[in-house]
Structure formats: structure tokens, C-alpha cells
Amino acid sequence: MTTPKDIEKDLRYLQLLAHSFPTIADASTEIINLQAILNLPKGTEHFLADIHGEYEAFQHVIKNASGNIKRKVNDLFGTTLRESEKRELCTLIYYPEQKLELVRANEEDLDDWYHITLHKLVAVCRDISSKYTRSKVRSTLPPDFAYIIEELLHERTDDLNKAAYVNVIIDTIISTGRANDFIIAMAEVIQHLAIDQLHLLGDIFDRGPGAHRIMDLMEQYRHWDITWGNHDILWMGAAAGNDACICNVIRLSLRYSNLVTLEEGYGINLIPLATFAMEMYKDDPCKEFQPNLNGGAESTNAKTQRLTAQMHKAIAVMQFKIEAQMYHKHPEWRMEDRDLLSNINYEKGTITIGGKEYDLKSNNFPTIDPANPTRLTEEEEALMKHLHHFFMVSEKLHRHLRALLGHGCMYGICNNNLLYHASVPLNDDGTLKSVEIRPGHSCSGLELMTDIGMQIRAAFQNDTPDDERQYAIDYFLYLWCGPDSPLFDKSKMATFERYFIADKETHHEAKGNYFLLRDNETICDNILDAFGVNGNNRHIINGHVPVHVASGENPIKANGKLMVIDGGFSQAYHKETGIAGYTLVYHSRGFQLVQHEPFTSTEKAIMQGTDIKSTTQIVEMSSHRMLVADTDKGVELNKQIADLKKLLYAYRHGFIKESERKK
């Protein structure tokens, strides 16, 4: 109950609040509005992880809301429409511009098709928008059609008094030549309302060819957030000017024969690298560096593959040198043993690791001085300056970087769900591991994630002291491959070994304790406690390690406390996982895990009406339909209501005078 002391304590804040609600009527109306919102059904959240540049598949999953739009169409029209008609309607909603071109070319009675289709679209939009307030729906409407759509959504043809009114609106849309534009607008509204909040659990970049297109899409998306993945961090490090990250980004692009994102997306000029590689490795078959063409990359001719392999080897050797320099620069990382170039006997063609000698598959290192193996040659220095410059001046790359910073963090907590990409470092006994993230400063758990996030941002802030900023830029490399990095959490990244040593014993990367213990419910509860995630139905949701469904692995772990939703969006993983990605859907009835099969192509989806085949698994259902009041937003709205009630008290007891001005 509000008391005069409460008002006196909060008077300054209430006076500021009074500027937004200057009268008793204004404050009362807002309380009524917020109380009503609390009793609406909870909005639908979608969780996706490890997209890895697969733009077409990602775009389709967003457009079809992980199959939710198709389910809505089936529920609405049941047996009143043939399957082919429902399929055509769904395709129109997903790809309205392209589908309309086909319809205009093939439909004999276009006006009749428009009339029937517009009524169907209004019915779908009305159903999907029913859980939102009018003001929220209004905010998604395009200005040109906002009034018309709003009228159609809230008037029904089964009301005889309004049937003629609705029909005249639709007839006029057609007669004025606006039907195509209106259909496109309606389809986009349906897509936007089908997903209330999109959570990306990291790794937009690498492997697939469309990371830049995904980021273009996300720049236009309304409600989304991202917990950064190790591949996102690698690109962020490259954009910050970390040369080791730049080399890794280019190497991975060459490894998967995918230069579209680099060259076409971000304008990174690789001609200097190609020229250098052809000269240095002209007589080298570069067998170990042949591109991986099983990841969906377009087939290339032998000449192009050879050049790609030469560029691949050239940038890999530069990467190993620069990484080794950085490990010695930062002994506190305890990674100096990863300077493998210094362990090579260049005369014998062998390398010593852990006291054991191994033969190298290739001993052709024309740019390495055995007396100083980690030093770049003059040519490599010049090349690195060129590449560094291209990453620094790419306007589009830095625009996308700002989007990642603006919408992202190392972890997120939303509606009793703890989100992060890979892991939380743990000791052998499952307790939180203390990690040194800068000299003299160690922390664990929540503090570790928070401090890493602040350090990442410091790399891009001009007011950061030079030495701190440089360390933050360097630290991107540790986040990418450091043993205690929460984005990696393995004993080593065996890149060199996989290229140069045949013995697969050396390829093994021992997983950190998190991955060994994450199926333990008590461990998961302890992590949730450490991050302050409360409630009976609380979960950890992450990706990073593909779930091997084909081998019988279950993505639901720790008795339902942990959900691993990396199902292998990347084509390179399809054979390994047996599927093509997951979407975790959290709606007002509970959790559903949607398992996707490989996507054919956007062209087939438009021309033939093919959709991603998806299987839905019920993970956890609520005993009652969850309302906005049951969410984080509900907590915030209740706080706002309490503040407004204090404002009413202040008005009615003379602490603050009502204003005659209108808002």
C-alpha cells in the first residue's frame, strides 16, 4: 500500500513520470491498458543456433516461422481447401513478390483470384494477430495500408452489418490496382507477427556463402537478439584489426571454397593473396589444402581448386606465424606450446609434440626461416598490411559489426531461460572455473561472461586507453581458440595437426568439463543458480556442438534442464548430424523442438511450393496457458503499474499537480 513516505522518497522520479502522464485520466488509462496486456497470451519465441552462412535455409525458416504459418493455415482451412491450395497460399505468404509474378503469368481470372486470396490472407493475419494488442499489431503495419489492414482485421464478414463494408474494401483494393502491393504487405505482416522474439545463439558466420545476407536480413528484423558464437567473435576480431583473426577468417573461407561473403559481401580484395600464393607455392601440389567441396560449395574447375589450395596454404602459414607471435606476447594465456612451427625439424621433415616425433605430410615451407620460424617475410608483412587495410575500411562489415554489438552479448536471460553459445567453464568437480581474462584479473560464471562482454566492447571504443584496447583486440584470438574460453572450451584447436600430421591421435581436441558434465541435472541447476535464473521451469539453451541425431543423440539433456539446439544448419554437417538444424519454439503452451530436413532451394519453394519438412517434438508443456503476466515483460509491466499507482496517489493527495497540457 502506498504511503506519503513512499511518495516523498520517489517524488523526483514521479515528477518525471508526470511529464508522460500529466493527468489522473492519463495515468488511469495507462494502468487499464497495461493490466489488459498482462492477460494476453505470451508471445512466441524462436531460438536458432549455428546458422553458418546458410542464408536460404535460414530465410525460409524465418519466413515460415519454423512451420508455424503452415500449421495456422491447416488449422484455419482444414478440409475446406485442397492440400495444393494450402501449399500455394503458404508459398504466397513466404515469397509474395516472386509468387505473384507466377500467378499473373498463369491465372486466367486475376480479379477473382485476388478477391479469394485477399480474404484468405486476412483470415490468416487475423488469427496470428489475435494474441497481440491493437497497438502492437499497428506498429507492424506498413504506413500505406495501416488503416485498411486494421479495419479488415477487426471486422468480420460473418457480421451481416459489416459484410458489404469488408467486401467493398477488398473490391476497391483490386479496382485501384493496389492488390499486389497489398498482398505483399499482408504477407510481411503475417511473417512479422508469427515470431514475437527471435533469439540467435551464435555462429552466423563461416562455412556457408550467405552470412552477409543473413546480417542484411537481421538489420531489417524487428525483435531479435544474439549471444555471440566463436565464429562471430572471429569475424568481430578481424573487424577490430586482429591479424590472427583476419588470417583465420580467410583460411576458413578458402577451406570451404566460399569467398562470396568475403569478396562480394564485404569487398575484401584477395588478389594480392592470390598473386603471392601463386608465386610462393607454384610447384607445391598443396594436397592438404584442397578445398572442402562437400559443404555445399559450387563445383569448381581444377585450375581454380589449385589456386584456392595455394591461397589456403599461404594464409594458413601466415596464421600459424602470427598466432605464435601472439602466444609469446601473452604468456599469461599459457598457450606458448601451440607455437608448433618452432617444433619442426625442417631438414628431416618431422615435428615433435609432447616428446613424440611425427612425420609431416608436407615439408615445403618456402616462407619459413628455420632460425626464426615465426617471423613473417617482407612479402608476408606487405600482404598482411593489405589484408588488414581491407578489413578496416569495409563499411558494410563494420555496419554489421555494429548490429552484432547492438543486439548481442555473451549470454542472455529471458523468461527463465539462460542462453549462451557454447559453455560455462567448469572445474573437474563441476564447480565454476576461475579464468584469467586479463593479467591479474580472474573470475568465473556470470562475472566471467559479463567481463568478457565488456572487454569485447572495449576493443571498439575510442575512449578506451590504448594499452587496454590493444589487449582487448588481442584477446579475440584467445576467445577463438583458448582452452578456457567459454566460446571454445577444449584443450587445443588442432588446426596445424589436421593439415600436416597423418596420425589422428594428434588431432584430438579434449572437450572441457562443461561438455563432459552437462547431462548432470545438478550441474545445470548450479549454473542456473549462479546466473540468478529462478523459477520451476528454467532451462539452459545453447548450441555450438552439433547433435548427432543420426547416431541416436538426444538434444534434450539433464532431465530437460539443458537443450542443445545445434542440429547442423551448415550443409557441411548434414551427413554428420542426419538433419539440417533445429528451431526451439517457446509459445504460450510450452516448448516444442522443430527438427528440420535439408532445404532444397528458394527457387523450388517458389516454383513447386516445396517447404522444409519439419518434425515437431513436444519438449515441455505448461499446465496452463502462459500469459504476458508470466514473462519478464510481465514483471516489468507490473513495476510500471505500481509506479503509475504511486503517481495517482501523488495527484490525489496534492504532492503533484495535474497538468492541463495534453500528451
Side-chain angles (χ1 to χ4, degrees):
M1 182 175 178
T2 303
T3 66
K5 285 187 177 181
D6 294 331
I7 301 303
E8 290 171 358
K9 183 176 67 174
D10 297 332
L11 187 59
R12 181 60 184 153
Y13 166 68
L14 294 174
Q15 287 171 335
L16 291 172
L17 189 61
H19 286 287
S20 298
F21 304 98
T23 68
I24 288 175
D26 291 327
S28 300
T29 299
E30 184 65 6
I31 290 172
I32 294 167
N33 176 48
L34 297 180
Q35 288 281 17
I37 292 173
L38 287 171
N39 288 280
L40 287 171
K42 172 194 174 299
T44 303
E45 300 171 73
H46 284 228
F47 303 80
L48 289 90
D50 300 271
I51 303 156
H52 283 303
E54 298 294 343
Y55 170 74
E56 288 199 353
F58 174 73
Q59 177 192 228
H60 192 80
V61 167
I62 296 300
K63 284 180 174 293
N64 79 357
S66 304
N68 188 45
I69 290 175
K70 184 177 181 180
R71 288 190 290 273
K72 291 285 187 184
V73 168
N74 282 328
D75 291 344
L76 273 172
F77 299 107
T79 56
T80 62
L81 291 180
R82 290 178 296 177
E83 287 301 316
S84 60
E85 292 174 318
K86 288 186 282 188
R87 189 165 58 247
E88 290 289 303
L89 178 60
C90 286
T91 304
L92 179 67
I93 293 171
Y94 307 155
Y95 304 100
E97 296 97 335
Q98 299 93 324
K99 192 63 181 176
L100 281 168
E101 287 186 19
L102 294 176
V103 170
R104 289 200 302 271
N106 298 300
E107 186 61 48
E108 294 180 1
D109 190 343
L110 196 57
D111 283 359
D112 183 57
W113 182 88
Y114 280 143
H115 199 277
I116 293 170
T117 300
L118 285 170
H119 277 287
K120 291 176 186 174
L121 289 174
V122 169
V124 175
C125 191
R126 183 182 294 129
D127 184 75
I128 282 181
S129 66
S130 62
K131 64 164 63 176
Y132 303 116
T133 63
R134 288 195 181 193
S135 61
K136 182 162 185 173
V137 173
R138 192 179 301 123
S139 70
T140 69
L141 303 181
D144 288 355
F145 296 111
Y147 172 76
I148 297 172
I149 295 176
E150 197 165 6
E151 287 293 293
L152 291 173
L153 291 182
H154 298 104
E155 302 295 350
R156 292 183 173 275
T157 53
D158 54 8
D159 181 345
L160 297 179
N161 295 320
K162 292 294 182 72
Y165 172 69
V166 172
N167 286 327
V168 166
I169 290 176
I170 290 179
D171 289 341
T172 307
I173 291 169
I174 297 169
S175 65
T176 56
R178 298 303 305 278
N180 288 340
D181 293 333
F182 189 80
I183 286 171
I184 292 168
M186 286 292 290
E188 290 177 349
V189 170
I190 291 168
Q191 290 178 32
H192 289 150
L193 292 175
I195 301 176
D196 188 43
Q197 183 74 25
L198 177 64
H199 305 286
L200 301 180
L201 272 67
D203 280 1
I204 288 175
F205 288 89
D206 288 330
R207 298 196 176 93
H212 59 294
R213 299 179 68 193
I214 293 170
M215 288 305 303
D216 283 340
L217 178 63
M218 298 320 300
E219 283 186 308
Q220 306 303 318
Y221 206 78
R222 288 175 180 269
H223 304 292
W224 68 284
D225 53 70
I226 180 170
T227 50
W228 302 314
N230 53 319
H231 288 268
D232 307 315
I233 286 294
L234 185 66
W235 279 78
M236 292 165 75
N242 184 311
D243 288 345
C245 292
I246 290 172
C247 290
N248 269 285
V249 161
I250 297 172
R251 179 184 61 80
L252 284 167
S253 298
L254 290 162
R255 179 184 174 191
Y256 289 94
S257 193
N258 163 34
L259 301 179
V260 175
T261 296
L262 273 176
E263 294 184 318
E264 297 180 18
Y266 296 127
I268 307 299
N269 185 354
L270 296 180
I271 292 177
L273 173 61
T275 303
F276 172 81
M278 285 190 292
E279 181 181 349
M280 286 294 110
Y281 298 96
K282 59 185 177 182
D283 298 322
D284 190 335
C286 299
K287 287 177 59 179
E288 300 79 19
F289 293 88
Q290 290 297 315
N292 178 356
L293 299 179
N294 296 322
E298 295 183 5
S299 59
T300 55
N301 58 45
K303 187 175 181 180
T304 300
Q305 288 184 36
R306 175 168 171 73
L307 175 58
T308 301
Q310 290 171 330
M311 295 167 68
H312 188 179
K313 183 169 185 177
I315 201 68
V317 171
M318 288 174 63
Q319 172 193 314
F320 299 141
K321 289 183 177 184
I322 295 169
E323 285 179 343
Q325 292 173 17
M326 201 156 313
Y327 299 148
H328 291 296
K329 178 182 177 182
H330 296 287
E332 69 276 7
W333 293 356
R334 294 183 291 279
M335 294 182 68
E336 292 171 281
D337 62 323
R338 295 305 298 160
D339 171 13
L340 298 183
L341 296 180
S342 297
N343 295 347
I344 295 175
N345 185 321
Y346 291 92
E347 291 184 1
K348 293 174 60 180
T350 61
I351 186 171
T352 302
I353 300 177
K356 186 174 180 180
E357 190 174 62
Y358 300 91
D359 290 328
L360 294 175
K361 290 192 286 185
S362 168
N363 190 32
N364 183 35
F365 298 104
T367 67
I368 290 181
D369 175 5
N372 191 358
T374 66
R375 182 179 61 83
L376 295 176
T377 65
E378 289 185 11
E379 293 86 354
E380 287 174 324
E381 288 273 11
L383 175 58
M384 195 65 247
K385 286 180 181 178
H386 278 295
L387 296 174
H388 183 101
H389 171 74
F390 296 141
F391 275 85
M392 291 298 97
V393 299
S394 173
E395 188 278 331
K396 189 171 184 177
L397 174 60
H398 285 267
R399 195 182 77 230
H400 287 170
L401 167 71
R402 290 191 292 273
L404 287 174
L405 289 171
H407 290 265
C409 55
M410 283 293 295
Y411 74 98
I413 298 173
C414 185
N415 297 327
N416 295 335
N417 298 308
L418 173 60
L419 318 178
Y420 48 80
H421 175 67
S423 80
V424 174
L426 302 176
N427 294 310
D428 293 345
D429 61 358
T431 56
L432 296 173
K433 186 174 186 177
S434 185
V435 177
E436 185 177 43
I437 66 169
R438 56 184 175 272
H441 178 70
S442 299
C443 50
S444 63
L446 173 61
E447 186 182 356
L448 173 66
M449 294 293 218
T450 302
D451 282 8
I452 287 176
M454 292 176 66
Q455 187 152 288
I456 287 168
R457 296 180 193 281
F460 302 100
Q461 294 169 359
N462 292 328
D463 59 350
T464 304
D466 289 345
D467 57 338
E468 293 180 20
R469 186 178 183 188
Q470 187 57 56
Y471 184 83
I473 293 172
D474 290 353
Y475 196 69
F476 281 106
L477 177 61
Y478 187 87
L479 288 173
W480 165 244
C481 61
D484 289 328
S485 165
L487 295 173
F488 182 61
D489 202 4
K490 294 181 183 178
S491 59
K492 66 181 180 183
M493 186 175 284
T495 306
F496 181 94
E497 290 90 333
R498 286 192 294 268
Y499 283 132
F500 288 106
I501 304 175
D503 191 334
K504 291 190 176 181
E505 174 190 51
T506 64
H507 302 183
H508 179 63
E509 301 170 344
K511 293 179 180 178
N513 288 315
Y514 175 84
F515 300 106
L516 304 177
L517 301 171
R518 64 181 179 173
D519 206 21
N520 184 313
E521 186 176 355
T522 301
I523 298 294
C524 290
D525 275 328
N526 290 341
I527 293 173
L528 289 162
D529 288 341
F531 280 80
V533 183
N534 302 311
N536 295 325
N537 298 312
R538 58 182 188 167
H539 312 87
I540 296 170
I541 306 173
N542 64 249
H544 185 60
V545 179
V547 177
H548 295 79
V549 176
S551 303
E553 185 181 358
N554 192 337
I556 311 302
K557 302 181 184 297
N559 197 26
K561 287 288 174 68
L562 175 66
M563 306 179 197
V564 182
I565 62 167
D566 179 5
F569 253 95
S570 172
Q571 291 191 39
Y573 283 138
H574 289 182
K575 290 182 180 179
E576 186 178 341
T577 62
I579 61 172
Y582 286 120
T583 306
L584 184 66
V585 180
Y586 184 27
H587 49 63
S588 59
R589 300 293 185 185
F591 280 98
Q592 291 181 318
L593 189 68
V594 183
Q595 178 178 303
H596 306 294
E597 293 186 16
F599 181 55
T600 51
S601 70
T602 300
E603 183 180 359
K604 284 189 176 180
I606 296 164
M607 299 295 295
Q608 302 173 18
T610 58
D611 206 340
I612 290 182
K613 292 183 179 180
S614 303
T615 305
T616 301
Q617 172 186 347
I618 295 175
V619 177
E620 182 178 289
M621 298 304 284
S622 176
S623 57
H624 71 283
R625 191 174 194 187
M626 284 175 283
L627 306 177
V628 172
D630 301 313
T631 67
D632 293 343
K633 183 179 180 181
V635 172
E636 178 57 34
L637 292 181
N638 274 312
K639 290 178 181 177
Q640 292 178 26
I641 290 169
D643 290 341
L644 287 164
K645 287 181 176 179
K646 285 184 182 180
L647 180 61
L648 284 181
Y649 185 98
Y651 280 143
R652 287 168 175 160
H653 291 81
F655 288 93
I656 300 175
K657 299 293 186 286
E658 288 186 84
S659 172
E660 293 183 1
R661 69 177 178 84
K662 299 298 182 183
K663 289 192 290 182

